[in-house]
Amino acid sequence: MSDLAGRRVVITGAGRGIGRVLAAAFDAAGAQLALVARGETALKEVAEGLHGDPLICPGDVRDAAFNDGVAADMVERFGGVDVWICNAGVSPEFADATETSPETWREIVDTNLTGAFLGARAGAAVMGAGGRIIVTGSVLGHRPRGGLAAYSASKSGAHSLVAAMAQELGPRGITVNAVALGWFETGVGTHWRRDAERSTAIAEHTALGRWGTPDDLPGVFLFLASAGSAYVTGATLTVDGGYSLL
């Protein structure tokens, strides 16, 4: 599972947080990478810590032409795409839905949901049998939380997108899955982790009694990108330490 030598992998949101952790893990597994994020400087910093020579793709995942361009660049550089990880995402500060501006709503939904759709669409266009599309979801997508309406809605939509696209792409031998993450000490959870009261409450609401660490992240993504997951599609795999059980 951890040997993905030669697999051609696109990771969006690779400039920080979860994407940065995934970039290191897939690089160590021997994959050929394209790193996608808005900031070129951050992507170059990530690339400097890798063993391989990744393709650097700064741009906005909400732009269809940009996603298509990343796919075209992968074909030119590596001959195709085997895995597309739709990981780019944003989260707002905690606020009631009635206090969430239309602009904030659009930014979150456009990045987390539309961005995933456009990336999956671009990847599927250049994939052959054995291709993998993986979307970073959230436990908040199937257990929404007050104060995070836009984020919860975007992740619920992403889970549904995965189920629909799995049916459409199955005949081509392409699998589509989501990873519903719980509370991690990186990515969008970083801000909440710094809040002692909320941090403690989340840990106490988790079966394992702790937040997820970066070491807890890559395994399921590596599995879904590997030959071992060939018969897994349309699934949302929950990685939350048991948060959704309590």
Side-chain angles (χ1 to χ4, degrees):
M1 182 180 71
S2 60
D3 183 8
L4 298 173
R7 293 284 274 175
R8 300 160 297 187
V9 180
V10 175
I11 303 174
T12 71
R16 59 187 174 86
I18 293 167
R20 192 167 191 151
V21 172
L22 294 179
F26 276 83
D27 175 68
Q32 298 173 309
L33 301 180
L35 306 180
V36 178
R38 294 186 191 183
E40 184 174 8
T41 299
L43 290 177
K44 288 182 176 179
E45 290 176 355
V46 173
E48 288 174 358
L50 304 181
H51 296 96
D53 182 21
L55 185 64
I56 302 298
C57 303
D60 192 338
V61 297
R62 299 173 297 180
D63 183 343
F66 168 70
N67 285 281
D68 293 342
V70 172
D73 289 346
M74 284 291 287
V75 171
E76 181 178 354
R77 173 81 173 272
F78 299 122
V81 176
D82 298 305
V83 182
W84 195 296
I85 302 177
C86 305
N87 171 70
V90 294
S91 178
E93 296 296 323
F94 191 84
D96 289 347
T98 54
E99 298 172 351
T100 300
S101 70
E103 292 76 20
T104 296
W105 172 274
R106 292 190 186 98
E107 179 186 5
I108 295 163
V109 173
D110 283 353
T111 303
N112 298 358
L113 179 53
T114 305
F117 161 68
L118 294 174
R121 176 176 172 270
V126 297
M127 283 181 181
R132 304 280 193 266
I133 295 170
I134 308 169
V135 177
T136 299
S138 171
V139 292
L140 297 177
H142 49 242
R143 257 188 100 166
R145 178 175 181 137
L148 291 170
Y151 185 82
S152 297
S154 71
K155 293 302 184 179
S156 293
H159 298 171
S160 294
L161 172 67
V162 160
M165 290 193 73
Q167 297 174 58
E168 297 169 359
L169 297 176
R172 291 174 49 193
I174 297 171
T175 67
V176 189
N177 294 287
V179 180
L181 295 176
W183 297 93
F184 280 79
E185 297 174 350
T186 188
V188 297
T190 303
H191 175 74
W192 287 56
R193 186 74 171 95
R194 296 191 187 112
D195 185 314
E197 184 175 348
R198 285 178 179 166
S199 178
T200 299
I202 288 168
E204 291 176 346
H205 197 279
T206 301
L208 291 180
R210 65 176 178 84
W211 280 59
T213 70
D215 289 341
D216 297 317
L217 273 169
V220 68
F221 287 89
L222 293 168
F223 166 67
L224 290 174
S226 75
S229 66
Y231 205 57
V232 179
T233 195
T236 296
L237 304 185
T238 302
V239 182
D240 69 348
Y243 174 84
S244 55
L245 297 175
L246 305 179

